[in-house]
Amino acid sequence: MPLIQVALATPLRRLFDYWPVAGEPLPAIGVRVKVPFGNRQMIGLVMGQVAATELPTHRIKAALAYLDTKPLFTQQHLDFLCWIASYYHQPLGDVLNVALPALLRQGQALHPPLEPRWELTQLGKQTAVATLQRAPRQAALLEFLQHGGQSKTQKALQAQGYSLAMLQGLQTKNLIELQKPASKTPGIGLPLLPLDEHLPNSVLAEVPLKLIKEQQQAIEVLMEKRATFSPILLQGVTGSGKTEVYLQFIQALLEEGKQVLVLIPEIGLTPQTLLRFEQRFNRRVVAMHSAMTDKERLDAWRSAMQGRAAVVLGTRSAIFTPLPNLGLIIVDEEHDASFKQQDRMRYQARDLAVMRAKQENIPVLLGSATPSLETLAKAKSGAYLWLHLRQRPGAGVQVPEPKLLDIRNRKLIGGFSEPLFFAMDKHLKAGNQVLVLLNRRGFAPVLMCTGCGWIAGCLHCDARMTWHREPPKLHCHHCDQKQPLPSQCPQCVEGELKPLGAGTERAEETLLERYPDIPVIRLDRDSVRNRNDLATKLDQIALERPAILLGTQMLAKGHHFPDVTLATLLNADHGLYSSDPRAMERTAQLLIQVAGRAGRAEKLGEVIVQTHHSDDPRLEKLCVEGYEALALDLLEERQQINWPPYAHLAMLRAEAPRTEQVEMLMRLLAEQANLMNQEAVTLLGPVPAPMERRQGRYHMQLLLHANQRAPLHRLIDRLLGWLETSPEARKVRWSLDIDPEDLF
Ligand code: ADP
Ligand code: ZN
Ligand code: ZN
């Protein structure tokens, strides 16, 4: 008898062999199966069959039950998931864990169970209604069923006014019985269920905008590329009409009966975005994001995998959605950091989108005003097609050039300089909105004693506690530890405790003092906790003017604020002198995204950036020549220091409660790496992590650097083999990050 091979979410990177379920036909690949594992039961996915195994026969256990009658994934999609597991060196079971909705992981049926139905018995069919004279209501029910001819669910009958008591009355007389439905479980919609039959023939529900010349040229190129693998960068300033190009390209694919996957950043999926897609098409558009309930997610997933959803609009994990008739993938704001999953199964959804498109032989469209250096390098080398939108359609208001405002030697009030206030006064007086971006939550990042210099630090991390006002507390943003505010300095008792620097709460307080009559609408993770909060704030923004919109990067992404005429970044210095080669790229992207918020409608805008380094040549270049000019410089720098995208990285991280445990493991690991390495890979480290102590644990890291991917991945394979069997590794929590983005 053959054995079945099962993928399980365990740390071991291999499949597990089981005897098939006794008395049942062999399962298809891609069916869920319940198996015993150690002393518990797990749900896995059948990945194949083998004739024999190395294990002694008596150690092989039998699978307990198959949970699906048809596969959940096509072979092609399974190949994609297997490729992900091998590229990221992750157990396939972990990849499946991300790919399957929670309810399916927990063993729930793909389809909600069908409800039992009331049916006439043979006797019920023959009995004349008149014999029930003394129970007129039961008689009416009997007549209804006899004439309705069909079985009915209890809900349907009750909706018609027939009560449970009447049903039970007829049941006691053996006139009706409750029938369990035969289970009917359609699997993957192959061949595709046509999009719901009642849908109108026309894909379009509204007339599309008339494209301006650049958009038209872009669409023409896209149409030529629509049937084969073609990675394309669509670079266009905010408001240049990228979304309109997406919509018209999507339309072409929907008309061919294809499905389209659109990935958007974590906080970019607002009800407005969804609405814009729904309004355009007479086809089902489903959302997929982390704020959905498990049931909503399963419903969306199912309609995608059955080919009923035409457009899936989702955040990074939507890249795993099975779409049997996929024709196009779009990654909007492709530079956005939220496409990289930073914990557990680490992956970069944008890279996966390109990989998936290649495998499916379809186009993949990456859109951004500020493309990542990775994508830009590919466009520059010709590997990706490079399309530009340089104009803003409509009233002809272009993106304003950011002005640097040097704040060296200037007094700051809650983060604001006097000249900045002056500019704000002007825009507010004109009845417009002003946008203030400050990438720091809380009241102040530091609480300090002016008497002795004591600073509130986290007990568990090498980090300062952020002072929050509402509610009052000290909060560590790295380990989530909270403490009450001290009433006096714990070190010298008499010194005065003062805030250093400003977060959004402090900026808000400052603004309310200075502009008591103007609404200040704050958007950050403390004031916007869910999609409802966000919708409320966005409604408020649509109504109030003049108004000040204050917030973290949440404010810089994706939204249209047509009445903002002044956008300002309170502090641009963060990326300038960081040791992280990526910091300047991130700062530049943020600055340009902020600038893109100003003057989007007919109104001319102004952008002011406060900095202590207005003479920094990179900042100057960014403001005068624009993002692309700076980005190409940064790419050259990356090439000179031989850093991604011109080289490849992998990061091994380890942490444990005790320093010695981590140090020991990392030393052995580096030794192994040196032994196994054939010089194609450079070891950077091991070194303590930039924040050595976090959450009460000690962290170290080893960065591997190589010019070619192949030797890097070969070395990692060997190192993981060693780690998985080394006794030292058991005391330490370790993780692997391929193509890491946060090194510092
Ligand atoms: P992006 O996605 O690049 O930020 P959008 O597609 O959202 O740009 O377009 C910005 C604004 O310009 C929207 O209000 C949109 O309706 C409008 N717009 C886009 N294309 C056109 C066009 N061809 N003619 C007129 N208005 C347009
Ligand atoms: Zn003190
Ligand atoms: Zn902490």
Side-chain angles (χ1 to χ4, degrees):
M1 185 161 52
L3 294 136
I4 54 171
Q5 296 181 296
V6 179
L8 292 172
T10 71
L12 299 175
R13 291 178 303 142
R14 59 180 189 81
L15 299 176
F16 297 84
D17 296 338
Y18 287 89
W19 296 119
V21 178
E24 291 202 32
L26 278 179
I29 290 176
V31 156
R32 282 175 301 155
V33 58
K34 189 187 276 182
V35 294
F37 190 83
N39 49 15
R40 62 204 169 112
Q41 295 182 353
M42 285 183 86
I43 290 169
L45 203 76
V46 175
M47 295 303 295
Q49 296 173 10
V50 271
T53 168
E54 296 151 16
L55 282 177
T57 323
H58 70 272
R59 290 198 45 203
I60 301 173
K61 296 181 182 167
L64 301 170
Y66 306 125
L67 304 186
D68 304 295
T69 50
K70 299 214 179 104
L72 294 180
F73 300 103
T74 58
Q75 186 59 52
Q76 187 177 27
H77 198 65
L78 282 177
D79 291 345
F80 174 58
L81 300 178
C82 288
W83 179 86
I84 296 172
S86 82
Y87 181 78
Y88 289 112
H89 303 265
Q90 298 285 339
L92 181 58
D94 279 356
V95 179
L96 288 168
N97 246 353
V98 191
L100 275 174
L103 291 177
L104 294 184
R105 290 201 305 269
Q106 294 156 13
Q108 183 163 318
L110 177 62
H111 291 271
L114 296 175
E115 278 183 52
R117 305 169 81 89
W118 288 101
E119 276 179 16
L120 292 169
T121 58
Q122 210 50 41
L123 183 62
K125 286 181 191 156
Q126 293 158 355
T127 304
V129 175
T131 55
L132 288 179
Q133 250 171 359
R134 290 195 303 163
R137 279 140 42 108
Q138 287 182 19
L141 174 54
L142 184 65
E143 186 170 13
F144 178 74
L145 284 171
Q146 284 180 347
H147 289 275
Q150 273 182 357
S151 59
K152 296 269 187 272
T153 63
Q154 185 150 318
K155 228 197 260 156
L157 287 169
Q158 283 174 332
Q160 294 281 338
Y162 302 108
S163 68
L164 185 60
M166 295 179 221
L167 286 163
Q168 284 164 342
L170 289 186
Q171 190 183 26
T172 343
K173 297 187 175 98
N174 273 329
L175 297 176
I176 60 171
E177 62 192 358
L178 197 57
Q179 286 286 351
K180 285 249 172 70
S183 77
K184 182 176 112 216
T185 48
I188 308 176
L190 278 181
L192 269 189
L193 309 175
L195 301 159
D196 297 86
E197 295 99 43
H198 59 271
L199 284 177
N201 286 336
S202 164
V203 161
L204 279 183
E206 62 174 14
V207 183
L209 296 175
K210 183 159 170 14
L211 297 180
I212 62 168
K213 192 155 163 252
E214 277 187 324
Q215 288 173 313
Q216 186 58 41
Q217 285 165 343
I219 276 287
E220 276 162 22
V221 177
L222 292 174
M223 292 299 275
E224 274 169 34
K225 302 284 175 187
R226 75 178 182 284
T228 49
F229 170 61
S230 334
I232 304 148
L233 166 60
L234 178 63
Q235 185 180 343
V237 294
T238 325
S240 60
K242 292 186 294 297
T243 311
E244 188 56 37
V245 172
Y246 301 159
L247 287 168
Q248 300 202 15
F249 192 31
I250 292 173
Q251 176 195 336
L253 286 139
L254 296 187
E255 277 162 359
E256 293 173 1
K258 296 279 172 44
Q259 293 175 291
V260 177
L261 174 62
V262 183
L263 297 183
I264 45 188
E266 201 60 70
I267 52 184
L269 181 51
T270 58
Q272 285 90 325
T273 320
L274 192 60
L275 199 65
R276 193 158 168 202
F277 280 75
E278 284 172 341
Q279 276 172 346
R280 178 62 57 93
F281 302 118
N282 278 324
R283 292 291 180 269
R284 187 183 300 204
V285 178
V286 299
M288 293 246 200
H289 53 77
S290 54
M292 286 162 84
T293 65
D294 286 350
K295 174 154 187 320
E296 288 167 338
R297 201 170 240 279
L298 176 57
D299 288 347
W301 193 85
R302 193 175 46 223
S303 74
M305 66 91 84
Q306 292 176 336
R308 286 182 295 119
V311 180
V312 172
L313 198 59
T315 49
R316 67 173 172 253
S317 68
I319 188 61
F320 298 100
T321 315
L323 292 152
N325 211 17
L326 185 60
L328 164 69
I329 308 177
I330 294 176
V331 184
D332 189 27
E333 309 283 359
E334 65 86 33
H335 64 280
D336 194 273
S338 75
F339 288 121
K340 177 80 164 69
Q341 163 102 13
Q342 302 280 22
D343 56 0
R344 300 188 313 272
M345 233 291 285
R346 293 167 176 77
Y347 62 90
Q348 166 53 269
R350 181 222 309 136
D351 296 348
L352 292 185
V354 175
M355 185 56 207
R356 188 167 177 185
K358 186 169 179 191
Q359 194 199 33
E360 307 240 6
N361 197 26
I362 57 171
V364 53
L365 183 56
L366 310 177
S368 176
T370 52
S372 63
L373 296 191
E374 278 73 12
T375 300
L376 211 54
K378 295 256 175 50
K380 199 174 144 222
S381 75
Y384 291 3
L385 199 67
W386 195 354
L387 302 176
H388 280 92
L389 298 180
R390 293 195 167 87
Q391 302 285 315
R392 279 177 166 179
V397 173
Q398 296 314 311
V399 182
E401 187 175 291
K403 279 188 285 199
L404 298 176
L405 170 57
D406 205 302
I407 48 174
R408 250 174 300 197
N409 304 322
R410 276 193 199 278
K411 185 168 171 320
L412 294 184
I413 307 168
F416 295 81
S417 65
E418 210 37 63
L420 178 58
F421 275 138
F422 189 69
M424 290 175 64
D425 293 346
K426 193 179 71 191
H427 287 265
L428 294 169
K429 264 197 206 109
N432 292 322
Q433 293 179 331
V434 170
L435 183 149
V436 178
L437 195 121
L438 171 59
N439 232 350
R440 230 172 215 168
R441 296 187 290 136
F443 186 74
V446 180
L447 175 67
M448 192 181 85
C449 167
T450 47
C452 70
W454 172 86
I455 282 176
C458 177
L459 290 175
H460 309 278
C461 307
D462 293 330
R464 286 152 181 186
M465 301 283 272
T466 298
W467 174 5
H468 285 253
R469 272 275 179 89
E470 309 157 57
K473 65 179 177 217
L474 290 173
H475 185 185
C476 173
H477 290 178
H478 302 280
C479 70
D480 211 29
Q481 184 73 26
K482 292 164 191 134
Q483 280 171 25
L485 273 177
S487 53
Q488 56 189 28
C489 172
Q491 194 164 278
C492 73
V493 180
E494 60 217 21
E496 192 190 351
L497 294 175
K498 278 208 158 159
L500 277 190
T504 44
E505 284 182 358
R506 191 171 186 191
E508 182 182 32
E509 190 182 90
T510 311
L511 290 170
L512 288 171
E513 261 165 41
R514 178 152 178 129
Y515 303 105
D517 303 324
I518 293 176
V520 176
I521 305 163
R522 194 181 106 207
L523 276 88
D524 55 25
R525 247 195 296 149
D526 302 304
S527 58
V528 177
R529 295 189 177 274
N530 53 45
R531 262 152 235 274
N532 274 345
D533 289 353
L534 183 61
T536 314
K537 297 265 180 178
L538 292 176
D539 286 348
Q540 212 183 339
I541 292 174
L543 285 176
E544 304 274 10
R545 61 190 63 75
I548 301 171
L549 328 183
L550 164 70
T552 53
Q553 54 177 333
M554 192 181 269
L555 207 50
K557 290 189 187 173
H559 314 293
H560 289 236
F561 303 127
D563 287 303
V564 167
T565 53
L566 169 62
T568 169
L569 186 59
L570 274 199
N571 189 342
D573 296 345
H574 177 69
L576 291 182
Y577 298 95
S578 163
S579 49
D580 181 355
R582 228 174 251 277
M584 188 62 212
E585 177 189 350
R586 294 264 181 244
T587 298
Q589 287 165 345
L590 184 64
L591 197 151
I592 296 301
Q593 298 285 337
V594 171
R597 302 300 128 197
R600 293 195 64 174
E602 322 48 65
K603 297 176 182 171
L604 195 63
E606 193 180 358
V607 179
I608 298 180
V609 176
Q610 291 194 139
T611 170
H612 289 92
H613 308 279
S614 62
D615 45 3
D616 184 283
R618 294 164 304 171
L619 269 186
E620 255 171 41
K621 183 147 203 164
L622 177 65
C623 294
V624 178
E625 293 173 50
Y627 178 80
E628 191 179 315
L630 173 68
L632 292 175
D633 279 4
L634 293 178
L635 265 183
E636 220 157 275
E637 264 174 39
R638 296 266 190 103
Q639 196 157 19
Q640 277 161 15
I641 61 169
N642 196 18
W643 206 250
Y646 301 100
H648 306 283
L649 299 178
M651 176 80 96
L652 276 154
R653 299 188 177 89
E655 54 172 289
R658 298 219 329 270
T659 325
E660 312 82 68
Q661 296 167 323
V662 191
E663 275 173 353
M664 165 77 108
L665 178 74
M666 283 310 233
R667 197 166 43 77
L668 292 174
L669 187 68
E671 258 173 44
Q672 286 298 319
N674 280 320
L675 280 177
M676 296 168 181
N677 189 10
Q678 278 119 33
E679 306 207 336
V681 179
T682 313
L683 268 53
L684 304 170
V687 291
M691 191 179 294
E692 268 183 71
R693 209 166 45 94
R694 203 163 70 232
Q695 296 185 299
R697 298 167 70 90
Y698 183 74
H699 294 244
M700 284 184 82
Q701 62 188 37
L702 172 62
L703 189 61
L704 306 174
H705 173 287
N707 292 333
Q708 304 294 329
R709 273 194 204 284
L712 178 65
H713 284 245
R714 269 200 301 278
L715 176 62
I716 288 169
D717 250 334
R718 294 190 198 149
L719 280 179
L720 291 188
W722 179 81
L723 270 168
E724 280 163 359
T725 50
S726 146
E728 272 75 23
R730 252 173 248 147
K731 300 172 211 143
V732 175
R733 200 185 291 160
W734 59 268
S735 66
L736 170 67
D737 192 355
I738 300 285
D739 307 327
E741 294 187 4
D742 269 351
L743 310 180
F744 299 89

